[in-house]
Amino acid sequence: MTLSIVDFGRSIPNSYTFSTNIPLVATPSANTLANFGILAYTGGLVELHASIGLQATAGSPFVLLSIIRDATEIATTQTAIFTSSALETLSFTFVDTNAVSGYHSYILQASVSNNYAVNRANVIGPIVFTGTSLV
């Protein structure tokens, strides 16, 4: 099956390690890290890629990464950072096959999902979020 590119969206607030320092909040709240808009067609798909650099600042935080389309969470992944001050890059790919025709907003969010009293993490960069609409 041959696909054609309809649109491309990106948000790259920081492209290097240690280029930012954003303390993550605890779920159910979340930090918005990046967002963009993209045109999609019914029957097509939107291939999304996210990559963020993390550092544990206390305990062993579980970091939840979410992708939201038009205010609806459509994908999540989670990672654990087991060593304080450890650096980790979390990369995540998702294919959205349920977008109807139109212009859509995609948002990348992150939060700490385990006991926030003893587990903390910061986003330190990079923050890269891209999407390609195909039909």
Coordinates of all heavy atoms in Angstrom, one line a residue, residues 3 7-11 34-40 44-52 65-70 72-77 90-99 104-109 128-134:
L3 N 1.3 5.2 0.6 CA 0.7 6.4 1.3 C 1.3 7.7 0.8 O 2.5 7.7 0.4 CB 0.9 6.2 2.8 CG 0.2 5.0 3.4 CD1 0.7 4.9 4.9 CD2 -1.3 5.1 3.4
D7 N 0.4 16.2 5.5 CA 0.8 17.4 6.3 C 1.9 16.9 7.3 O 2.0 15.7 7.6 CB -0.3 18.0 7.1 CG -0.1 19.4 7.6 OD1 1.0 20.0 7.3 OD2 -1.0 19.9 8.3
F8 N 2.7 17.8 7.8 CA 3.7 17.5 8.8 C 3.6 18.6 9.9 O 3.5 19.8 9.6 CB 5.1 17.5 8.2 CG 6.2 17.2 9.1 CD1 6.5 15.9 9.6 CD2 7.0 18.3 9.6 CE1 7.5 15.7 10.5 CE2 8.0 18.0 10.5 CZ 8.3 16.7 11.0
G9 N 3.7 18.1 11.1 CA 3.7 19.1 12.3 C 4.8 18.8 13.2 O 5.3 17.6 13.3
R10 N 5.3 19.8 13.9 CA 6.4 19.6 14.8 C 6.4 20.6 15.9 O 6.0 21.8 15.7 CB 7.8 19.6 14.1 CG 8.2 20.9 13.7 CD 9.5 20.9 12.9 NE 10.1 22.1 12.6 CZ 9.5 23.0 11.8 NH1 8.4 22.8 11.2 NH2 10.1 24.2 11.5
S11 N 6.9 20.3 17.1 CA 7.2 21.2 18.1 C 8.5 20.7 18.8 O 8.5 19.6 19.3 CB 6.0 21.2 19.2 OG 6.3 22.0 20.2
A34 N 4.9 20.1 24.7 CA 4.9 20.5 23.3 C 3.5 20.3 22.7 O 2.7 19.5 23.1 CB 5.9 19.6 22.5
N35 N 3.3 21.0 21.6 CA 2.0 20.8 20.8 C 2.2 21.4 19.4 O 3.0 22.2 19.1 CB 0.9 21.5 21.6 CG 1.1 23.0 21.7 OD1 1.1 23.7 20.7 ND2 1.2 23.5 22.9
F36 N 1.3 20.9 18.5 CA 1.3 21.4 17.2 C -0.1 21.0 16.6 O -0.8 20.2 17.2 CB 2.4 20.8 16.3 CG 2.4 19.3 16.2 CD1 1.6 18.7 15.2 CD2 3.2 18.5 17.0 CE1 1.6 17.3 15.1 CE2 3.2 17.1 16.9 CZ 2.4 16.5 15.9
G37 N -0.4 21.6 15.4 CA -1.6 21.2 14.7 C -1.3 20.6 13.4 O -0.2 20.8 12.8
I38 N -2.2 19.7 12.9 CA -1.9 19.0 11.7 C -3.2 18.6 11.0 O -4.2 18.4 11.7 CB -1.1 17.7 12.0 CG1 -0.4 17.2 10.7 CG2 -1.9 16.7 12.7 CD1 0.6 16.1 11.0
L39 N -3.2 18.6 9.7 CA -4.4 18.3 8.9 C -4.5 16.8 8.7 O -3.4 16.2 8.4 CB -4.3 19.0 7.5 CG -5.5 18.7 6.5 CD1 -6.8 19.2 7.1 CD2 -5.2 19.3 5.2
A40 N -5.6 16.2 8.9 CA -5.8 14.7 8.7 C -7.1 14.5 7.9 O -8.0 15.3 7.9 CB -5.9 14.0 10.1
G44 N -7.2 8.1 6.8 CA -5.8 8.2 6.8 C -5.2 7.9 8.2 O -5.9 7.3 9.0
L45 N -4.0 8.3 8.4 CA -3.4 8.1 9.7 C -2.4 9.2 10.0 O -2.0 9.9 9.1 CB -2.7 6.7 9.8 CG -1.7 6.4 8.8 CD1 -0.3 6.8 9.2 CD2 -1.7 4.9 8.5
V46 N -2.2 9.4 11.3 CA -1.2 10.4 11.8 C -0.1 9.6 12.6 O -0.5 9.0 13.6 CB -1.8 11.5 12.6 CG1 -0.7 12.5 13.0 CG2 -2.9 12.2 11.8
E47 N 1.1 9.6 12.1 CA 2.2 8.9 12.8 C 2.9 10.0 13.7 O 3.4 11.0 13.2 CB 3.2 8.4 11.8 CG 4.3 7.5 12.4 CD 5.2 6.9 11.4 OE1 4.7 6.1 10.5 OE2 6.4 7.2 11.4
L48 N 2.9 9.7 15.0 CA 3.4 10.6 16.0 C 4.7 10.1 16.7 O 4.7 8.9 17.0 CB 2.3 10.9 17.1 CG 1.0 11.5 16.5 CD1 -0.1 11.2 17.5 CD2 1.2 12.9 16.3
H49 N 5.6 10.9 16.9 CA 6.9 10.5 17.5 C 7.2 11.6 18.6 O 7.1 12.8 18.4 CB 8.1 10.5 16.6 CG 7.9 9.6 15.4 ND1 8.2 8.2 15.6 CD2 7.5 9.8 14.2 CE1 7.9 7.6 14.4 NE2 7.5 8.5 13.5
A50 N 7.5 11.1 19.8 CA 7.9 12.0 20.9 C 9.2 11.5 21.5 O 9.4 10.3 21.7 CB 6.8 12.0 22.0
S51 N 10.0 12.4 22.0 CA 11.2 12.0 22.7 C 11.5 13.1 23.7 O 11.6 14.3 23.3 CB 12.4 11.9 21.6 OG 13.5 11.4 22.2
I52 N 11.7 12.7 25.0 CA 12.0 13.7 26.0 C 13.2 13.2 26.9 O 13.3 12.0 27.1 CB 10.8 14.0 26.9 CG1 10.3 12.8 27.7 CG2 9.7 14.6 26.1 CD1 9.3 13.2 28.7
L65 N 3.9 9.6 30.1 CA 3.9 10.4 28.9 C 2.6 10.2 28.2 O 2.2 9.0 28.0 CB 5.1 10.1 28.0 CG 5.4 11.0 26.9 CD1 5.8 12.4 27.4 CD2 6.6 10.4 26.1
S66 N 1.9 11.3 27.9 CA 0.6 11.2 27.2 C 0.5 12.0 26.0 O 1.1 13.1 25.9 CB -0.5 11.7 28.2 OG -0.6 11.0 29.4
I67 N -0.2 11.5 25.0 CA -0.5 12.3 23.8 C -2.0 12.5 23.7 O -2.8 11.6 23.9 CB -0.1 11.5 22.5 CG1 1.5 11.3 22.5 CG2 -0.5 12.3 21.2 CD1 2.0 10.5 21.3
I68 N -2.4 13.8 23.5 CA -3.8 14.2 23.5 C -4.1 14.8 22.1 O -3.3 15.6 21.6 CB -4.0 15.3 24.6 CG1 -3.9 14.7 26.0 CG2 -5.4 15.9 24.5 CD1 -2.6 14.8 26.7
R69 N -5.2 14.3 21.6 CA -5.7 14.9 20.3 C -7.0 15.6 20.7 O -8.0 15.0 21.1 CB -6.0 13.8 19.3 CG -6.5 14.4 18.0 CD -7.1 13.5 16.9 NE -7.2 12.1 17.1 CZ -8.2 11.4 17.6 NH1 -9.3 12.1 17.9 NH2 -8.2 10.1 17.6
D70 N -7.1 16.9 20.4 CA -8.3 17.7 20.6 C -9.0 17.4 21.9 O -10.2 17.1 22.0 CB -9.3 17.4 19.4 CG -8.8 17.7 18.1 OD1 -7.9 18.5 17.9 OD2 -9.2 17.0 17.1
T72 N -8.7 14.9 23.9 CA -8.9 13.5 24.3 C -7.6 12.7 24.3 O -6.8 12.8 23.3 CB -9.8 12.8 23.2 OG1 -11.1 13.5 23.2 CG2 -10.0 11.3 23.6
E73 N -7.3 12.1 25.4 CA -6.0 11.3 25.5 C -6.2 10.1 24.6 O -7.1 9.3 24.7 CB -5.8 10.9 27.0 CG -4.5 10.2 27.2 CD -4.3 9.8 28.7 OE1 -5.0 8.8 29.1 OE2 -3.6 10.6 29.4
I74 N -5.2 9.9 23.7 CA -5.2 8.8 22.7 C -4.1 7.8 22.9 O -4.2 6.7 22.4 CB -5.2 9.4 21.3 CG1 -4.0 10.2 21.0 CG2 -6.5 10.1 21.0 CD1 -3.8 10.5 19.5
A75 N -3.1 8.2 23.7 CA -2.0 7.2 23.9 C -1.2 7.6 25.1 O -1.1 8.8 25.5 CB -1.0 7.2 22.7
T76 N -0.6 6.6 25.8 CA 0.2 6.8 27.0 C 1.3 5.8 27.0 O 1.2 4.7 26.4 CB -0.5 6.7 28.3 OG1 -1.1 5.4 28.5 CG2 -1.6 7.7 28.4
T77 N 2.4 6.1 27.7 CA 3.5 5.2 28.0 C 4.1 5.6 29.3 O 3.9 6.8 29.7 CB 4.5 5.1 26.9 OG1 5.4 4.0 27.1 CG2 5.4 6.3 26.8
L90 N 13.2 9.1 27.0 CA 12.0 8.4 26.7 C 11.5 8.7 25.3 O 11.2 9.8 25.0 CB 11.0 8.7 27.8 CG 9.6 8.1 27.6 CD1 9.7 6.5 27.6 CD2 8.7 8.5 28.7
S91 N 11.5 7.7 24.5 CA 11.0 7.9 23.1 C 9.7 7.0 23.0 O 9.6 5.9 23.5 CB 12.0 7.4 22.1 OG 13.1 8.3 22.1
F92 N 8.8 7.5 22.2 CA 7.5 7.0 22.1 C 6.9 7.2 20.7 O 7.0 8.4 20.2 CB 6.6 7.6 23.2 CG 5.2 7.3 23.3 CD1 4.8 6.0 23.1 CD2 4.3 8.2 23.6 CE1 3.4 5.6 23.2 CE2 2.9 7.9 23.8 CZ 2.5 6.6 23.6
T93 N 6.4 6.2 20.0 CA 5.8 6.3 18.7 C 4.3 5.8 18.8 O 4.1 4.8 19.4 CB 6.6 5.6 17.6 OG1 7.9 6.1 17.6 CG2 5.9 5.7 16.3
F94 N 3.4 6.5 18.2 CA 2.0 6.1 18.2 C 1.4 6.4 16.8 O 1.7 7.5 16.3 CB 1.2 6.8 19.3 CG -0.2 6.4 19.3 CD1 -0.7 5.2 19.7 CD2 -1.2 7.3 18.8 CE1 -2.0 4.9 19.7 CE2 -2.5 7.0 18.8 CZ -3.0 5.8 19.2
V95 N 0.6 5.6 16.3 CA -0.1 5.8 15.0 C -1.6 6.0 15.3 O -2.3 5.1 15.8 CB 0.1 4.7 14.0 CG1 -0.7 4.9 12.7 CG2 1.6 4.5 13.7
D96 N -2.1 7.2 15.1 CA -3.5 7.6 15.3 C -4.2 7.3 14.0 O -4.1 7.9 13.0 CB -3.5 9.1 15.6 CG -5.0 9.5 16.0 OD1 -5.9 8.7 16.0 OD2 -5.1 10.8 16.2
T97 N -5.1 6.3 14.1 CA -5.9 5.9 12.9 C -7.4 6.3 13.1 O -8.2 6.0 12.2 CB -5.9 4.3 12.8 OG1 -6.3 3.7 14.0 CG2 -4.5 3.9 12.5
N98 N -7.7 7.0 14.1 CA -9.1 7.4 14.4 C -9.4 8.9 14.2 O -10.5 9.3 14.6 CB -9.5 7.0 15.8 CG -9.5 5.5 16.0 OD1 -10.0 4.8 15.1 ND2 -8.9 5.0 17.0
A99 N -8.5 9.7 13.7 CA -8.7 11.1 13.5 C -9.7 11.3 12.3 O -9.5 10.7 11.2 CB -7.4 11.8 13.2
H104 N -6.3 19.1 13.5 CA -6.3 18.6 14.8 C -5.1 19.1 15.6 O -4.1 19.3 15.1 CB -6.3 17.1 14.9 CG -7.5 16.4 14.2 ND1 -8.7 16.3 14.8 CD2 -7.6 15.9 13.0 CE1 -9.5 15.7 14.0 NE2 -8.9 15.5 12.9
S105 N -5.4 19.3 16.9 CA -4.3 19.7 17.8 C -3.8 18.5 18.6 O -4.6 17.7 19.1 CB -4.9 20.7 18.9 OG -4.0 20.9 19.9
Y106 N -2.5 18.3 18.6 CA -1.8 17.2 19.3 C -1.0 17.8 20.4 O -0.2 18.8 20.1 CB -1.0 16.4 18.4 CG -1.8 15.5 17.5 CD1 -2.2 15.9 16.2 CD2 -2.2 14.2 17.9 CE1 -3.0 15.1 15.4 CE2 -3.0 13.4 17.1 CZ -3.4 13.8 15.9 OH -4.1 13.0 15.1
I107 N -1.1 17.3 21.6 CA -0.4 17.8 22.8 C 0.4 16.7 23.4 O -0.1 15.6 23.6 CB -1.4 18.4 23.8 CG1 -2.1 19.6 23.1 CG2 -0.6 18.9 25.0 CD1 -3.3 20.1 24.0
L108 N 1.6 17.0 23.8 CA 2.5 16.0 24.6 C 2.5 16.5 26.0 O 2.9 17.6 26.3 CB 3.9 16.0 23.9 CG 4.9 15.1 24.6 CD1 4.5 13.6 24.5 CD2 6.3 15.3 24.0
Q109 N 2.2 15.6 26.9 CA 2.2 15.9 28.4 C 3.0 14.9 29.1 O 3.0 13.7 28.7 CB 0.8 16.0 28.9 CG 0.0 17.2 28.4 CD -1.4 17.3 29.0 OE1 -2.0 16.3 29.5 NE2 -1.9 18.5 29.1
V128 N 11.2 16.7 21.8 CA 10.9 16.7 20.4 C 9.6 16.0 20.2 O 9.4 14.9 20.7 CB 12.1 15.9 19.6 CG1 11.7 15.8 18.2 CG2 13.4 16.6 19.9
F129 N 8.7 16.6 19.5 CA 7.4 16.0 19.2 C 7.0 16.3 17.7 O 6.9 17.5 17.3 CB 6.3 16.6 20.1 CG 4.9 16.0 20.1 CD1 4.7 14.7 19.9 CD2 3.8 16.9 20.3 CE1 3.5 14.2 19.9 CE2 2.6 16.3 20.3 CZ 2.4 15.0 20.1
T130 N 6.8 15.3 16.9 CA 6.5 15.4 15.5 C 5.4 14.5 15.1 O 5.1 13.5 15.7 CB 7.7 15.1 14.6 OG1 8.1 13.7 14.8 CG2 9.0 15.9 15.0
G131 N 4.7 14.9 14.0 CA 3.7 14.1 13.4 C 3.6 14.3 11.9 O 3.8 15.3 11.4
T132 N 3.3 13.1 11.3 CA 3.1 13.1 9.8 C 1.8 12.5 9.5 O 1.4 11.4 9.9 CB 4.2 12.2 9.2 OG1 5.5 12.7 9.6 CG2 4.1 12.3 7.7
S133 N 1.0 13.3 8.8 CA -0.4 12.9 8.4 C -0.2 12.2 7.0 O 0.4 12.8 6.1 CB -1.3 14.1 8.3 OG -2.6 13.7 7.8
L134 N -0.8 11.0 6.9 CA -0.7 10.2 5.7 C -2.0 9.7 5.2 O -2.9 9.5 6.0 CB 0.2 9.0 5.9 CG 1.6 9.2 6.4 CD1 2.2 8.0 7.1 CD2 2.5 9.7 5.3

